[in-house]
Amino acid sequence: MDFDLVFEGGGAKGLAFVGALQAFERQGHRPRRVIGTSAGSIVALLVAAGYNAEECMQAINERMPDGKSRFASFLEVPRIPEDADLHQSLVYWLRTELDNPAVPNIIEPLVDNMVEGLVKANLARHLVSLFAWGGWYSGNNLLNYLKEKLEICSKDLGESTLREFAQYTGRDLSVVATDITNRTMLVLNARTAPDCPTAWAVRMSMSCPLVWQEVIWQSEWGAYQGRDITGHKIVDGGLLSNFPIRLFVLQDEIVEKIMGKNPDDDQVIGMLLDDGMPVPGAEGTQQADSPAPGFLERSDLIAEMMARLSGLADTLLSGHDKEVMDAHQHLVCRLPAGGYGILEFDLTPERMAPILAAGEAAMEAHLAARQAREAELLKKT
């Protein structure tokens, strides 16, 4: 049976999706349309590109030469190119601040070396990235990862637009982002933003504020629903809709312009990462050390900050997600994610296994409940 699939945002906890997909495929089901927010947009992309559950598993199991998870590379130290205006401005400002008549000219070269070292220091780069571009990490490795996974499908998909992606794959992919310039939600797909690069669409959906740099919409990416948004700042879709199931179930003109006409059926599965459900078997596992430098050497602080921001955003801005979800509980598959961190990307195999198994078991239970419900409805007709 074909189902529309919704993947919630949730950072590294999205590993549960892969376990759920294993159970989904084992029952002989296939994806129809897919939509995702933030980390959910990565899985939505892989599914739409034709990756099966086993191939998704291989992707999340990738390791770097140092043995760390490939996902840990997403938390990289930002670069400030030496020919960039910002780099030159920082050097000028620091030299001016340190230019003291009391400092003998003979040691000025030492001061210059100190300035250059400060500009190149990891902490300074992170702080510049945070205050200049809104994110502690650049997100370049994430973008490269997305392009690489698309290249595996076809030599052209790495640089494909959403229109080209849809034409090649025959799949309907949508990802949710937030335009903070216009304070509006963006649903990026072949209908709304056909000229937007596919990899950049997912990168925008993943631009978690404070974590990854915001993305500036480029003129060559075309219009969004006929509106020129060149220069607008785009960040994580979770600010406005972290669980966009409503886009698959509502029947109105606004949704139809974005998604096309929704089928009049219940063939939708929304995969919700539930922090209130503990992951069985995870109690004895330990989180691997984060590769993040400085005060983010362990991601506990930033994860706590993001959890609070996410909760606030959900309360203030995403009430419509909860309202629609409550009205369609039978379409929601709750995946246990309690005890796992948003930025816990460098999972050990021992730490990874429980959340994958929990996702798989949750999907099996969900599909069984759906079958029982359908059988009950048949009895009444």
Side-chain angles (χ1 to χ4, degrees):
M1 189 174 292
D2 293 347
F3 285 92
D4 294 334
L5 302 179
V6 183
F7 298 96
E8 189 193 19
K13 292 179 286 189
L15 289 170
F17 295 140
V18 180
L21 286 172
Q22 288 181 313
F24 177 80
E25 289 182 3
R26 189 162 53 244
Q27 295 287 335
H29 301 306
R30 298 176 301 275
R32 189 166 61 180
R33 301 179 298 171
V34 293
I35 188 170
T37 296
S38 195
S41 69
I42 295 182
V43 182
L45 174 70
L46 294 177
V47 170
Y51 282 74
N52 59 32
E54 181 57 35
E55 290 166 333
C56 288
M57 183 70 75
Q58 293 173 6
I60 68 171
N61 277 326
E62 283 186 39
R63 297 276 157 178
M64 296 183 292
D66 62 1
K68 293 184 180 294
S69 168
R70 176 76 183 278
F71 288 172
S73 70
F74 297 170
L75 309 179
E76 80 275 38
V77 178
R79 287 186 62 254
I80 305 176
E82 292 189 5
D83 59 350
D85 291 340
L86 180 59
H87 180 281
Q88 297 301 322
S89 297
L90 283 170
V91 171
Y92 175 79
W93 179 79
L94 287 168
R95 283 177 177 162
T96 301
E97 289 297 310
L98 292 173
D99 186 14
N100 191 318
V103 178
N105 290 338
I106 192 171
I107 68 170
E108 282 189 359
L110 297 178
V111 173
D112 281 353
N113 288 336
M114 182 182 71
V115 168
E116 290 293 344
L118 182 59
V119 170
K120 293 178 181 179
N122 287 350
L123 179 58
R125 291 182 180 185
H126 280 295
L127 290 172
V128 168
S129 177
L130 178 64
F131 291 112
W133 299 297
W136 189 258
Y137 307 106
S138 69
N140 291 335
N141 286 349
L142 168 59
L143 180 66
N144 292 334
Y145 174 86
L146 297 171
K147 289 182 177 182
E148 175 189 308
K149 296 309 169 190
L150 287 172
E151 288 292 332
I152 292 175
C153 305
S154 164
K155 63 180 180 180
D156 298 323
L157 282 186
E159 300 296 333
S160 68
T161 63
L162 288 168
R163 177 195 289 114
E164 293 165 343
F165 179 88
Q167 290 172 343
Y168 181 86
T169 64
R171 289 274 172 76
D172 194 324
L173 167 70
S174 298
V175 300
V176 179
T178 300
D179 181 344
I180 59 174
T181 302
N182 260 3
R183 301 179 184 179
T184 56
M185 182 174 78
L186 304 181
V187 183
L188 305 172
N189 57 39
R191 289 172 295 277
T192 62
D195 296 321
C196 176
T198 308
W200 273 108
V202 177
R203 168 67 181 84
M204 283 185 271
S205 184
M206 279 285 295
S207 297
C208 188
L210 305 182
V211 180
W212 285 289
Q213 293 175 2
E214 60 202 14
V215 176
I216 307 300
W217 190 279
Q218 303 299 306
S219 60
E220 58 267 27
W221 296 353
Y224 175 78
Q225 287 194 300
R227 303 194 311 270
D228 183 8
I229 59 172
T230 300
H232 287 205
K233 296 178 180 179
I234 316 298
V235 299
D236 196 304
L239 287 182
L240 293 178
S241 185
N242 204 40
F243 187 57
I245 192 171
R246 67 189 185 92
L247 294 171
F248 279 162
V249 299
L250 296 185
Q251 303 281 352
D252 62 44
E253 284 188 25
I254 296 176
V255 171
E256 188 169 335
K257 286 181 181 178
I258 296 172
M259 305 300 297
K261 188 169 181 60
N262 280 330
D264 188 17
D265 59 36
D266 273 354
Q267 301 309 111
V268 176
I269 299 178
M271 299 186 211
L272 182 75
L273 299 167
D274 194 335
D275 288 331
M277 298 176 64
V279 177
E283 300 83 1
T285 63
Q286 292 190 1
Q287 176 179 342
D289 289 337
S290 168
F295 72 89
L296 295 182
E297 186 168 340
R298 288 185 59 84
S299 61
D300 299 349
L301 178 62
I302 190 73
E304 176 66 20
M305 185 189 308
M306 290 314 304
R308 291 184 178 183
L309 288 175
S310 176
L312 180 62
D314 285 347
T315 302
L316 296 179
L317 301 172
S318 300
H320 54 270
D321 281 351
K322 187 176 187 306
E323 181 180 347
V324 175
M325 181 182 70
D326 288 346
H328 297 84
Q329 280 293 334
H330 63 290
L331 305 181
V332 178
C333 175
R334 294 180 175 273
L335 309 177
Y340 282 75
I342 295 172
L343 298 183
E344 197 178 340
F345 285 114
D346 190 21
L347 290 171
T348 63
E350 294 76 20
R351 179 85 169 146
M352 189 182 296
I355 194 168
L356 290 169
E360 186 175 1
M363 179 58 74
E364 287 176 346
H366 175 77
L367 293 173
R370 289 180 79 116
Q371 290 174 351
R373 182 175 183 271
E374 291 167 4
E376 189 64 28
L377 291 174
L378 283 175
K379 287 181 182 179
K380 296 178 179 179
T381 58

